[in-house]
Amino acid sequence: MSNAYYNMKVAAITQETSDAITLHLEHPDKQNIPYVPGQFLTLIVPVNGQKVRRSYSLCSVPEEPYFSVTVKRVEGGLVSNFLAENAQVGQTIEVMAPLGNFVLKPEASQKRHLFLFGGGSGITPLMSMLKSTLKYEPQSRVTLVYGNRNLDSVIFREQLEKLEKQHPEQLKVVHVFNEALVDATETQEHIGLLDRAMVLRLLENLKVPGFQQELFFMCGPEGMMNEVREALNFMRVPANQIYKESFTAPTTPETHGADVTAAADADEIITRMVTIRYEGEEYQVEVKPDQTILEAGLKADIDLPYSCQAGLCTACMGKCLSGRVHLDEREGLSDAEIAQGYVLNCVGHPLTADVVIEIG
Ligand SMILES: Cc1cc2nc3c(=O)[nH]c(=O)nc-3n(C[C@H](O)[C@H](O)[C@H](O)COP(=O)(O)OP(=O)(O)OC[C@H]3O[C@@H](n4cnc5c(N)ncnc54)[C@H](O)[C@@H]3O)c2cc1C
Ligand code: FES
C-alpha cells in the first residue's frame, strides 16, 4: 500500500450543481501517479487550525490532464462546506496517493455489460469507470441508472448527455428523480424512489442479450444500495458480480459483519500492547479501550496511513499476523479479506495480548 503524499495545485474549479464543485488538481511536477478508475484521493485540509482528512473518489480517468474530485456539500459537514466556500484556483492541497478496491480495470478484449447504480455524489467513481470503459472497451456496454432529487441536482449532467450522444450504442443513461419534473426534458427519466421495485422494473427493460458477462457497481446512499442489492439478490445475481462503495458508515447493525463481531463478544476490550510493523520498523503501541489501533499509533507519532477513519476506505488496512482484533465496522473489507486476517486499524481494537499487525 502506498503512503505517498503530494501537494497538488488547484488548476480549475467547476460548479457542477448548486451544492457540488469539482476540483481539478494538477499532477505534481514530472510525477506519474497511477490510479485505476474507481479509486479515491484523500484530501488533507486545514480547517480551524487542524489538518482534517476526507476521501474523495476520482471522477477523472488517468489519461486526463488533471486529477478531478467532486465534493458535494453535506449538511453540517466540516470539510465539504469548507471546500465549497474556500477552495480557490491556484491554492495547493495536500493529498495522499490514490487508494481503494472499488475499481474497474478496462480490458480491450472484454465484451461485458456494466450496470452502474449511482445516487447523488455516488456518481463520482462510476463516472471514471464509465469514461474508461467507453474509451478502452469498445465491445462493452454501460448502463448508468442515476438517482437524484431532481434534474438540477444531477452532477455531470451535460457531460453525460454528450457522452450518450457520442456513444449511442454503448452508453445508456437512465435518470430516476424523486421529485416530479415540471418541465419534461429529452433525458429518459423515471419518477420515484430508486428502490427494489424500480430496479427490477428498469432491469427488465435494460438488459440486452449478447454479452459475455454482466457486472453491477453501486455507490450512493445506504438505503438506495440496500434496495439495489435486494433486487439483484432477487434476480439471483452471483455476489461476485456485485461491487459496492460506501461513502458513509452503515446505520443498520446487520451490515457490520456478524462473524467479526461475534468473535469479539467473548473477549474484552482492555488496554493492551500491539506490535505494529510498518515501513521496515517495528513499534510497540499501547492501545487504550477508548482508542482504536490507528489512534494509538498516531498518538505515538507513527505516520500511519489513513483516510476516512470510519472503516470504509481501507486506507488503514493491515494484516493481523498473530492475535485477534475486534472491528467496530468492516464495511470496507470483503469476507475473503477478513478470512485472510486483514483488519482496519481505524476501527480496530486488540482482543488478545499478542496482536501483531503488518501494514503495507
Ligand atoms: C471511499 C470514499 C469516497 C468518497 N468520495 C466522495 C466523493 O467523491 N464526493 C463526495 O462529496 N463525498 C465523498 N465521500 C464522502 C467524504 O469523504 C466526506 O465524508 C463528506 O464530504 C462529508 O465530509 P464533511 O467533513 O463535510 O462531513 P462531516 O463533518 O465528516 O460529517 C457530518 C455528518 O454528515 C454525515 N455524512 C458524511 N458524508 C455524507 C454523505 N456523503 N451523505 C450524507 N451524509 C454524510 C456524517 O456521517 C456526519 O453525520 C467519500 C467517502 C469515502 C469513504
Ligand atoms: S481509514 Fe478508511 S478504513 Fe480506515
Side-chain angles (χ1 to χ4, degrees):
M1 180 189 303
S2 167
N3 187 23
Y5 294 86
Y6 304 95
N7 286 315
M8 293 189 184
K9 201 161 143 191
V10 179
I13 299 177
T14 309
Q15 188 78 43
E16 302 286 354
T17 62
S18 63
D19 60 0
I21 54 166
T22 297
L23 303 174
H24 304 281
L25 305 167
E26 273 177 16
H27 285 245
D29 282 348
K30 296 188 186 117
Q31 296 194 61
N32 174 30
I33 306 169
Y35 68 94
V36 184
Q39 287 194 309
F40 64 90
L41 285 183
T42 303
L43 270 53
I44 305 173
V45 185
V47 189
N48 305 330
Q50 284 222 315
K51 283 186 169 188
V52 193
R53 297 183 184 209
R54 292 290 183 272
S55 326
Y56 292 101
S57 300
L58 286 150
C59 53
S60 50
V61 287
E63 59 279 6
E64 284 178 12
Y66 302 118
F67 289 89
S68 301
V69 291
T70 302
V71 181
K72 181 171 175 176
R73 281 182 192 256
V74 165
E75 206 182 324
L78 186 65
V79 174
S80 58
N81 290 295
F82 180 85
L83 287 171
E85 284 151 30
N86 298 288
Q88 283 186 358
V89 171
Q91 83 173 101
T92 297
I93 298 183
E94 192 181 356
V95 306
M96 240 171 105
L99 286 170
N101 303 326
F102 179 72
V103 292
L104 177 72
K105 292 185 187 139
E107 288 170 41
S109 61
Q110 291 283 359
K111 188 178 179 189
R112 49 193 177 182
H113 192 168
L114 306 175
F115 290 91
L116 313 179
F117 290 91
S121 59
I123 184 67
T124 50
L126 305 178
M127 189 66 181
S128 181
M129 292 175 175
L130 180 156
K131 288 189 284 186
S132 208
T133 307
L134 294 180
K135 189 166 168 99
Y136 294 111
E137 286 191 16
Q139 304 176 84
S140 291
R141 181 177 173 88
V142 182
T143 298
L144 169 69
V145 179
Y146 187 15
N148 276 290
R149 205 169 46 247
N150 53 36
L151 190 62
D152 290 338
S153 43
V154 176
I155 297 173
F156 310 135
R157 183 176 143 192
E158 283 174 12
Q159 274 192 71
L160 288 169
E161 277 173 17
K162 201 167 149 196
L163 285 167
E164 214 181 359
K165 279 188 189 131
Q166 281 169 352
H167 304 270
E169 299 303 317
Q170 255 193 300
L171 175 63
K172 175 105 186 137
V173 179
V174 178
H175 290 283
V176 178
F177 298 126
N178 51 26
E179 270 178 17
L181 287 175
V182 182
D183 183 22
T185 70
E186 73 277 12
T187 53
Q188 182 171 346
E189 68 259 358
H190 295 262
I191 310 300
L193 283 179
L194 190 43
D195 58 11
R196 180 185 132 131
M198 171 81 81
V199 173
L200 287 171
R201 214 167 46 240
L202 289 175
L203 285 177
E204 207 178 314
N205 296 322
L206 295 168
K207 278 173 161 271
V208 181
F211 290 93
Q212 288 155 356
Q213 197 187 28
E214 287 177 343
L215 293 179
F216 300 82
F217 291 82
M218 60 177 111
C219 184
E222 182 194 353
M224 180 211 97
M225 292 202 287
N226 289 342
E227 296 283 334
V228 175
R229 163 109 36 200
E230 274 188 30
L232 297 179
N233 288 347
F234 181 80
M235 293 168 64
R236 299 187 190 280
V237 174
N240 64 1
Q241 288 171 227
I242 306 173
Y243 302 87
K244 171 183 164 198
E245 179 82 305
S246 297
F247 285 180
T248 54
T251 48
T252 41
E254 64 271 17
T255 53
H256 280 227
D259 49 348
V260 180
T261 321
D265 284 343
D267 305 83
E268 234 188 317
I269 297 177
I270 56 170
T271 301
R272 297 184 199 272
M273 296 304 290
V274 167
T275 302
I276 296 178
R277 293 189 191 153
Y278 179 52
E279 293 193 325
E281 303 283 333
E282 187 165 297
Y283 307 89
Q284 305 294 324
V285 178
E286 185 185 77
V287 185
K288 300 208 170 77
D290 61 348
Q291 282 180 317
T292 63
I293 296 169
L294 174 71
E295 284 166 346
L298 294 175
K299 195 150 184 255
D301 271 340
I302 312 170
D303 185 21
L304 295 175
Y306 70 95
S307 180
C308 72
Q309 289 177 271
L312 300 169
C313 74
T314 70
C316 66
M317 188 160 91
K319 190 162 190 185
C320 185
L321 302 179
S322 87
R324 285 189 306 124
V325 170
H326 168 75
L327 301 181
D328 297 330
E329 172 59 65
R330 50 147 289 183
E331 180 72 13
L333 292 179
S334 65
D335 290 344
E337 285 165 333
I338 295 266
Q340 287 163 36
Y342 286 101
V343 293
L344 300 172
N345 291 312
C346 71
V347 288
H349 307 269
L351 286 176
T352 54
D354 56 345
V355 170
V356 178
I357 295 175
E358 189 172 62
I359 299 171

